[in-house]
């Protein structure tokens, strides 16, 4: 029997089920829910028809209440809006759970990007040995970050998990009970979470998803690809962790928090080992084996539940004892349950006692302030005129300076916390092993001096040869342009060269999509990163340095998201790609890695992307000189269009006064402030990428994902060079992926929602600029792709986006209605502050459902 096309599988297993289970809400025993459940579909229809008729959100809502509510008071209207918001929030949860439950049905788990397919292709093309060599050195590292794009509290995430399982087996009673529980569970966090709270939330995914998925994948590779010919020595799949270690702009991440998170990670992985050993003990009841397992179980139990930081069995001892069990099973017990022991051994080799590597991150500007403080307190350590020296002279001094500074000797919080983080790294390595914490990331890295400042901090705290990687993060367009020159300065510096030799001549470099897009626009950010990787790869090869690129990616295309695995598969031989490292966050964690099926599918996609480049060598990944020239011209035109747009006098006021930007900080979804500096006036440079991108998403304008693309393509169309971009799209998977991800941003845009703004005397012309670029970009993306509709080649993805957008349309209408009310109230002669506060609460509440529904919108 042939399987149905992907779109039909989606319609049957997601769309139809949602319509069925959604009707259960109406039967739940809540006050007024029946009335809400009846009115919401009517309101949804009124919204759809209203926007077709060019009505504004306030006209749509007022017409609805006039038609369906009898002489409704202001209070009754407000109550209805809050009920609609609550209802839509729960509809989104239901849709998420249904989509998660159908993941392995809608998606082909054994498709072209799976481990199985990779193995079979290698066998068919006689590349088995090449595949084994690839797997012995390639790595994928997914780094979980606490960036605030996940609006579900932990209690709701638990319901989604249980609901997903109930939907998989069509357990109607359980589904009804869980929907009832969902109806009574608050979505609002009254207080902002601490960095430790964020860490605990993400450790749930480590324990319940990544632990099992990574173990199974490693086991599959060992059994089916390596078999008995050779032993897999490489820990192919690594995990990274930022909550508790990411200090950039987060004053709440302290040394104590960092150490507490590291302890929690160690306890979590030991608990996972303990639970596995408990299961094994029921099976390994053989003479000589049972005794060894019992000793392991007892020591792990004490380490987890009675340790107070003490570990009663080391990683080395655990591996030794498990190997002893393995030998006994082979020699005396016919290898019974050998697979289970191998599975646990693989997990211990990958996760160690650290579970996920905790990265420390700090901004270069903070380091500069720290050094000023250190210099003022310890002038004898530096040249008397250090601050007047040029960069080369400063680097020379930093290359040799040593001291034994203590954080307690300083009163400045920045200095204390920075020096404290160095101490924390050493403590974590002693407890969790080197992989517990061995990377120091410098955000906003602009120069070689920034890197040398970070390295010298270790020697200034009497740590002469730290087993720590210093990782510069290049973000802005200008910093990306000169990144290779910065790295050459470091590679030729004797002190840094010596440090790299001790680190195996491997240099990790982080490249930030989010701030790059905010700085230079969609095309320039992506092309700038591509060029930077190419130039850094060439420079690193020149000095025999193995460079590893770590991508700071968010959920939407504007932040490096979208079809991530396709981006990696598109990188050609000019770019080093022995490893894939990327950040995952917020909804990207829950939507792409939140279940065993989705986690396996997406990890295998990333692994397959590396194999495509190194084993199967896709020719379309190589850009010719002509194609590079076209790409450069496109980026330059797009960049200029975006820069002119950002310089528009209404750019910042539009975000402040017409979007939900000012409401992000009130949602209490993350511990980190929405701005780097808490000044009263909005400065675009201080604004974080998440609220920036998220605010455009709430407007359904998604500017960072497309602005400038249409103008750039139009230049080639008008100058008779359309064939050049058409050939680039046809021949380059990199360019094709860029444009397809931009199509996703356009698909999630809906300009009728804000069309009323074109009549606004202050912002009408500005709105028209955005809308015009949207229309041009859409027209030309359809022209270059040959599609009649956006995302035509991803019909199931298109259908999912359409359903989600339909679910949240009433919520978005309410949001805009409330914003209009706030504007009118503030402009009135006697503003009613109580009414303003109520409508502001409506706006804040409306953020949740829209972000959750989009899954990758911030």
């Amino acid at each position: 029997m042939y399987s149905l096309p992907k779109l039909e599988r989606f319609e049957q297993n997601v769309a139809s089920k949602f319509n069925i289970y959604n009707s259960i809400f109406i039967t739940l025993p809540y006050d007024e829910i029946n009335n809400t459940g009846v009115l919401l579909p009517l309101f949804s229809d009124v919204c759809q028809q209203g926007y077709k008729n060019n009505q504004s959100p306030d006209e749509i809502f007022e017409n609805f209440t006039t038609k369906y509510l009898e002489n409704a008071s202001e209070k009754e209207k407000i109550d209805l809006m809050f009920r609609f918001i609550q209802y839509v929030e729960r509809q989104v949860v239901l849709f998420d759970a249904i989509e998660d439950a159908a993941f392995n049905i809608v998606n082909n788990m054994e498709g072209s990007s799976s481990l199985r397919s990779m193995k079979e292709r290698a066998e068919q093309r006689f590349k088995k040995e090449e595949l084994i060599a690839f797997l012995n050195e390639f790595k994928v590292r997914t780094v979980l970050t606490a960036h605030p794009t996940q609006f579900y509290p932990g209690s709701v995430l638990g319901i989604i998990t249980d609901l997903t399982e109930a939907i998989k087996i069509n357990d109607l009673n359980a589904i009804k009970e869980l929907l009832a529980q969902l109806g009574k569970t608050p979505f609002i966090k009254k207080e902002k979470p601490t960095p430790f709270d964020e860490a605990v939330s993400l450790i749930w995914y480590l324990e319940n998803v990544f632990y099992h998925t990574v173990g199974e994948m490693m086991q599959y590779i060992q059994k089916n690809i390596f078999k008995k010919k050779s032993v897999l020595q490489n820990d192919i799949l690594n995990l990274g962790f930022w909550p508790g270690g990411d200090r950039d702009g987060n004053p709440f991440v302290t040394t104590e928090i960092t150490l507490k998170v590291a302890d929690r990670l160690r306890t979590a992985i030991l608990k996972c080992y303990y639970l596995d050993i408990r299961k094994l003990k029921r099976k390994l009841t053989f003479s000589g084996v049972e005794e060894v397992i019992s000793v392991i179980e007892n020591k792990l139990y004490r380490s987890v539940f009675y340790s107070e930081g003490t570990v009663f069995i080391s990683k080395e001892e655990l591996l030794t004892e498990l190997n002893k069990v393995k030998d006994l099973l082979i020699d005396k017990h016919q290898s019974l349950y050998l697979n289970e022991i191998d599975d646990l051994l693989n997990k211990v080799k990958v996760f160690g006692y650290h579970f996920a590597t905790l990265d420390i991150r700090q901004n270069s500007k903070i380091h500069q302030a720290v050094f000023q403080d250190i210099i003022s307190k310890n002038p004898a350590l530096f040249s008397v005129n250090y601050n007047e020296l040029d960069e080369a002279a400063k680097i020379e001094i930093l290359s040799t300076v040593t001291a034994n500074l203590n954080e307690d000797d300083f009163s400045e919080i920045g200095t204390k916390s920075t020096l404290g983080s160095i101490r924390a790294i050493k403590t974590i390595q002693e407890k969790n092993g080197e992989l517990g914490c061995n990377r120091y990331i410098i955000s906003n890295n602009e120069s070689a001096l920034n890197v040398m400042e970070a390295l010298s901090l270790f020697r200034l705290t009497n740590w002469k040869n730290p087993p720590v990687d210093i990782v510069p993060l290049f973000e802005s367009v200008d910093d990306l342009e000169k990144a290779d020159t910065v790295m050459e300065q470091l590679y030729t510096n004797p002190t840094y060269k010596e440090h790299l030799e001790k680190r195996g001549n491997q240099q990790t470099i982080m490249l930030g999509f989010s701030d790059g897009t905010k700085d230079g626009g969609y095309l320039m950010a992506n092309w700038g990163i591509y060029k930077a990787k190419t130039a850094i790869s060439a420079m690193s090869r020149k000095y025999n340095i193995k460079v590893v690129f770590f991508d700071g990616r968010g959920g939407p295309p504007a932040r490096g998201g979208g079809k991530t695995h396709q981006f990696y598969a598109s990188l050609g031989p000019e770019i080093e790609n022995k490893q894939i490292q990327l950040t995952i966050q917020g909804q990207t964690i829950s939507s792409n890695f939140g279940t065993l099926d989705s986690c396996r599918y997406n990890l295998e996609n990333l692994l397959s992307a590396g194999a495509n480049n190194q084993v199967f060598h896709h020719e379309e990944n190589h850009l010719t000189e002509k194609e590079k020239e076209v790409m450069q011209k496109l980026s330059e035109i797009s960049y200029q269009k975006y820069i002119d747009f950002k310089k528009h006098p209404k750019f910042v006021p539009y975000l402040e006064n017409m979007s939900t930007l000012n409401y992000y900080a009130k949602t209490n979804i993350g511990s980190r402030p929405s701005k780097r500096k808490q000044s009263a006036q909005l400065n675009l440079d201080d604004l974080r990428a998440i609220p920036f991108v998220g605010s455009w998403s709430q407007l359904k304008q998604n500017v960072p994902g497309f602005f400038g693309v249409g103008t750039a393509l139009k230049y080639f169309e008008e100058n008779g060079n359309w064939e050049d971009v058409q050939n680039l799209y046809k021949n380059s998977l990199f360019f094709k992926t860029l444009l397809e991800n931009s199509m996703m941003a356009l698909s999630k845009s809906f300009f009728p929602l804000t069309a009323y703004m074109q009549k606004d005397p202050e912002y009408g012309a500005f709105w028209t600029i955005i809308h015009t670029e949207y229309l041009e970009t859409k027209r030309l993306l359809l022209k270059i792709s040959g599609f009649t509709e956006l995302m035509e080649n991803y019909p199931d993805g298109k259908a999912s986006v359409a359903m989600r957008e339909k679910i949240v349309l009433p919520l978005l209408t309410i949001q805009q209605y409330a914003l209009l009310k706030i504007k009118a109230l503030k402009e009135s002669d006697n503003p009613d502050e109580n009414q303003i506060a109520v409508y502001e609460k409506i706006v804040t509440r409306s953020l949740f459902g829209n972000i959750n529904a989009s899954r990758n919108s911030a």
Side-chain angles (χ1 to χ4, degrees):
M1 182 179 175
Y2 293 104
S3 62
L4 293 169
K6 202 170 183 181
L7 178 59
E8 289 189 37
R9 298 200 301 272
F10 175 86
E11 294 290 347
Q12 284 188 7
N13 295 279
V14 179
S16 296
K17 282 191 175 182
F18 175 74
N19 291 329
I20 293 167
Y21 293 142
N22 186 39
S23 63
I24 295 175
F25 271 122
I26 300 175
T27 67
L28 297 177
Y30 302 135
D31 296 339
E32 299 180 307
I33 195 166
N34 187 43
N35 187 36
T36 307
V38 170
L39 288 174
L40 182 58
L42 296 172
F43 182 52
S44 182
D45 289 341
V46 168
C47 289
Q48 291 174 62
Q49 195 57 47
Y51 291 121
K52 285 178 183 175
N53 295 333
N54 301 314
Q55 291 181 331
S56 64
D58 56 337
E59 288 173 331
I60 289 170
F61 187 75
E62 294 296 349
N63 288 345
F64 172 78
T65 54
T66 300
K67 185 174 182 180
Y68 292 103
L69 300 181
E70 208 171 313
N71 299 318
S73 65
E74 187 77 3
K75 182 180 183 305
E76 287 173 325
K77 291 178 183 179
I78 287 168
D79 287 345
L80 182 64
M81 281 188 274
F82 276 117
R83 294 207 307 275
F84 278 169
I85 289 170
Q86 290 172 321
Y87 203 101
V88 171
E89 284 173 344
R90 284 149 181 82
Q91 284 183 314
V92 172
V93 169
L94 176 62
F95 191 83
D96 281 351
I98 292 170
E99 205 163 46
D100 286 345
F103 189 92
N104 66 336
I105 300 172
V106 175
N107 297 281
N108 184 357
M109 300 296 290
E110 306 298 338
S112 60
S113 295
S114 67
L115 273 174
R116 177 180 170 181
S117 174
M118 193 192 309
K119 166 186 168 288
E120 290 174 352
R121 267 191 297 166
E123 289 171 345
Q124 290 163 4
R125 301 182 189 185
F126 304 102
K127 288 179 176 281
K128 189 73 180 289
E129 295 306 316
E130 287 182 55
L131 180 59
I132 287 174
F134 161 76
L135 292 170
N136 261 327
E137 63 174 13
F138 187 77
K139 292 179 188 290
V140 170
R141 179 185 293 221
T142 50
V143 180
L144 279 64
T145 80
H147 292 347
T149 63
Q150 176 55 268
F151 282 66
Y152 291 140
S155 54
V156 174
L157 286 171
I159 294 172
I160 293 176
T161 302
D162 294 340
L163 192 55
T164 300
E165 293 306 309
I167 289 168
K168 279 183 179 179
I169 58 174
N170 289 314
D171 187 339
L172 286 173
N173 285 330
I175 291 167
K176 191 168 184 178
E177 285 182 351
L178 287 162
L179 290 178
Q181 180 188 349
L182 185 65
K184 290 184 170 293
T185 302
F187 279 47
I188 304 302
K189 297 175 180 177
K190 293 182 180 178
E191 296 179 359
K192 291 176 81 69
T194 67
F196 184 71
D197 294 333
E198 291 169 331
V200 170
S201 295
L202 292 190
I203 287 171
W204 185 92
Y205 290 101
L206 296 183
E207 292 176 312
N208 294 281
V209 183
F210 284 96
Y211 179 74
H212 303 289
T213 304
V214 170
E216 288 173 6
M217 287 176 66
M218 294 294 287
Q219 182 79 336
Y220 180 91
I221 291 168
Q222 179 66 67
K223 277 185 65 179
N224 297 284
I225 298 175
F226 281 72
K227 298 182 180 176
K228 294 181 180 178
K229 291 181 182 178
S230 56
V231 178
L232 174 60
Q233 299 291 349
N234 181 30
D235 55 339
I236 301 168
L237 301 160
N238 300 163
L239 300 177
F241 206 74
W242 275 18
D246 182 8
R247 295 167 178 265
D248 181 19
N250 194 339
F252 307 110
V253 178
T254 63
T255 302
E256 290 68 32
I257 288 285
T258 301
L259 293 169
K260 193 176 174 185
V261 169
D263 285 343
R264 185 61 173 255
L265 284 164
R266 185 184 64 254
T267 302
I269 190 58
L270 291 177
K271 185 174 74 173
C272 289
Y273 296 154
Y274 168 71
L275 293 174
D276 273 0
I277 286 289
R278 283 284 303 272
K279 293 173 188 172
L280 275 170
K281 191 179 178 186
R282 291 178 65 88
K283 297 178 177 180
L284 302 180
T285 53
F286 320 135
S287 175
V289 175
E290 187 177 25
E291 294 81 357
V292 180
I293 290 292
S294 293
V295 171
I296 296 173
E297 179 197 26
N298 180 261
K299 289 184 176 181
L300 283 172
Y301 181 81
R302 291 167 65 201
S303 299
V304 172
F305 298 106
Y306 293 99
S307 69
E308 294 185 0
T310 303
V311 175
F312 295 94
I313 181 170
S314 68
K315 175 188 168 184
E316 293 70 26
E317 184 185 352
L318 178 58
L319 285 169
T320 299
E321 294 302 301
L322 288 174
N323 276 310
K324 188 187 295 183
V325 171
K326 179 176 179 177
D327 292 341
L328 285 168
L329 293 179
I330 294 170
D331 295 341
K332 297 185 177 181
H333 302 289
Q334 293 75 48
S335 297
L336 193 57
Y337 298 125
L338 183 62
N339 284 343
E340 284 86 338
I341 284 291
D342 279 337
D343 178 44
L344 184 51
L345 277 166
N346 282 331
K347 288 172 180 173
V348 177
K349 288 172 185 174
V350 171
F351 300 122
Y353 274 25
H354 62 284
F355 214 158
T357 300
L358 185 62
D359 288 341
I360 304 296
R361 184 171 78 130
Q362 186 53 283
N363 196 295
S364 64
K365 297 291 189 288
I366 298 296
H367 288 164
Q368 290 168 12
V370 168
F371 266 87
Q372 292 307 308
D373 192 26
I374 291 173
I375 290 167
S376 67
K377 299 283 194 306
N378 302 272
L381 280 175
F382 300 88
S383 168
V384 288
N385 61 342
Y386 178 85
N387 287 327
E388 298 170 20
L389 299 175
D390 62 17
E391 182 181 353
K394 287 180 178 178
I395 288 175
E396 190 173 341
I397 290 174
L398 292 176
S399 298
T400 57
V401 67
T402 59
N404 189 12
L405 302 179
N406 191 300
E407 65 204 85
D408 296 329
D409 297 334
F410 297 87
S411 57
E412 288 292 329
I413 293 174
T415 309
K416 290 174 76 72
S417 65
T418 301
L419 296 180
S421 66
I422 306 295
R423 172 174 59 80
I425 294 172
K426 185 180 278 190
T427 302
I428 293 166
Q429 288 195 3
E430 289 168 357
K431 289 185 173 184
N432 295 12
E434 184 195 311
L435 288 174
C437 187
N438 68 347
R439 306 204 306 183
Y440 196 106
I441 300 166
I442 313 157
S443 55
N444 194 31
N445 195 96
E446 298 174 329
S447 65
L449 178 62
N450 292 157
V451 177
M452 293 305 295
E453 284 173 338
L455 180 60
S456 66
L457 284 171
F458 289 85
R459 287 199 312 282
L460 286 168
T461 54
N462 201 32
W463 199 359
K464 293 185 174 58
N465 295 308
V468 176
D469 296 324
I470 308 298
V471 182
L473 166 52
F474 299 103
E475 300 177 84
S476 71
V477 171
D478 289 342
D479 291 341
L480 289 167
E481 285 278 355
K482 62 186 181 183
D484 60 321
T485 307
V486 168
M487 295 317 299
E488 184 171 34
Q489 282 181 268
L490 293 166
Y491 293 158
T492 54
N493 176 275
T495 300
Y496 197 77
K497 184 179 178 184
E498 182 185 352
H499 171 71
L500 279 183
E501 285 171 355
K502 289 184 169 66
R503 301 302 295 158
N505 276 326
Q506 179 171 294
Q507 172 68 54
T508 302
I509 295 171
M510 190 173 179
L511 302 164
F513 281 81
S514 302
D515 284 297
T517 306
K518 181 164 75 80
D519 179 50
Y522 181 70
L523 278 185
M524 181 56 88
N526 281 277
W527 180 234
I529 287 172
Y530 186 97
K531 287 194 301 178
K533 284 187 174 182
T534 303
I536 293 169
S537 296
M539 189 64 72
S540 300
R541 288 165 182 169
K542 176 181 174 182
Y543 292 98
N544 295 315
I545 302 298
K546 293 173 286 187
V547 69
V548 173
F549 293 113
F550 173 27
D551 292 314
R553 308 177 77 93
R559 300 187 58 236
K563 301 292 182 182
T564 304
H565 64 280
Q566 285 191 3
F567 168 81
Y568 284 113
S570 72
L571 302 179
E574 292 180 299
I575 294 175
E576 285 290 354
N577 54 6
K578 299 292 185 191
Q579 295 191 31
I580 286 176
Q581 297 193 9
L582 72 160
T583 55
I584 54 172
Q585 60 201 46
Q587 307 117 308
T588 315
I589 299 173
S590 57
S591 62
N592 289 9
F593 300 90
T595 67
L596 295 172
D597 288 332
S598 63
C599 185
R600 177 194 144 197
Y601 181 83
N602 284 294
L603 285 178
E604 289 191 6
N605 269 333
L606 290 172
L607 201 54
S608 175
N612 281 343
N613 277 314
Q614 295 187 44
V615 180
F616 305 112
H617 306 298
H618 281 192
E619 293 301 321
E620 66 265 30
N621 298 345
H622 182 72
L623 287 174
T624 66
E625 289 306 314
K626 171 67 175 174
E627 288 169 342
K628 288 178 183 176
E629 289 174 13
V630 173
M631 194 69 226
Q632 180 66 26
K633 188 65 178 176
L634 285 165
S635 299
E636 288 173 356
I637 296 166
S638 175
Y639 178 66
Q640 192 56 54
K641 177 73 173 177
Y642 181 75
I643 291 301
D644 291 344
F645 178 58
K646 274 209 312 184
K647 288 179 179 176
H648 194 289
K650 295 302 178 186
F651 186 92
V652 172
Y654 182 81
L655 278 175
E656 281 196 296
N657 299 318
M658 304 300 278
S659 82
T660 57
L661 180 66
N662 295 323
Y663 298 90
Y664 263 80
K666 300 177 182 180
T667 57
N668 291 333
I669 57 165
S671 66
R672 196 167 67 164
S674 59
K675 293 191 291 185
R676 286 185 170 90
K677 296 176 185 174
Q678 297 312 299
S679 54
Q681 189 172 357
L682 177 64
N683 184 321
L684 200 58
D685 292 335
D686 293 332
L687 181 64
R688 293 200 170 277
I690 289 168
F692 176 75
V693 174
S695 297
W696 290 113
S697 171
Q698 293 285 335
L699 284 167
K700 305 312 289 181
Q701 293 176 1
N702 290 324
V703 160
F706 73 83
F707 199 89
V709 176
T711 296
L713 291 172
K714 188 177 181 181
Y715 172 86
F716 280 80
E717 182 187 51
E718 290 182 340
N719 286 277
N721 297 318
W722 181 255
E723 191 176 343
D724 290 341
V725 289
Q726 189 71 66
N727 287 336
L728 182 63
Y729 180 83
K730 179 182 175 183
N731 298 327
S732 168
L733 182 58
F734 170 75
F735 185 58
K736 189 176 183 181
T737 300
L738 273 189
L739 296 194
E740 286 184 350
N741 281 341
S742 192
M743 283 188 201
M744 185 190 294
L746 292 176
S747 294
K748 294 183 177 183
S749 298
F750 184 66
F751 278 85
L753 177 73
T754 55
Y756 71 90
M757 292 183 187
Q758 64 189 313
K759 298 175 184 176
D760 188 278
E762 186 174 357
Y763 297 108
F766 186 78
W767 183 93
T768 302
I769 291 172
I770 302 169
H771 187 231
T772 301
E773 184 67 13
Y774 162 81
L775 292 174
E776 276 299 272
T777 304
K778 181 179 178 181
R779 177 181 73 83
L780 290 165
L781 287 182
L782 292 176
K783 179 178 179 179
I784 200 169
S785 64
F787 298 161
T788 54
E789 294 179 320
L790 296 170
M791 292 183 71
E792 192 176 292
N793 55 335
Y794 294 106
D796 59 310
K798 178 179 169 61
S800 177
V801 168
M803 282 201 73
R804 289 175 176 278
E805 296 300 310
K806 183 180 178 182
I807 290 169
V808 296
L809 187 60
L811 186 148
L812 290 165
T813 303
I814 289 169
Q815 181 185 99
Q816 286 296 318
Y817 175 79
L819 286 169
L820 284 165
K821 277 285 191 180
I822 293 166
K823 191 169 185 287
L825 284 165
K826 286 183 175 180
E827 290 173 356
S828 64
D829 294 333
N830 294 300
D832 186 331
E833 295 299 331
N834 290 330
Q835 279 289 86
I836 290 172
V838 170
Y839 281 109
E840 285 184 335
K841 186 177 179 181
I842 288 173
V843 173
T844 303
R845 283 298 311 277
S846 69
L847 296 175
F848 291 61
N850 183 35
I851 286 287
N852 288 332
S854 296
R855 279 206 160 182
N856 71 348
S857 57

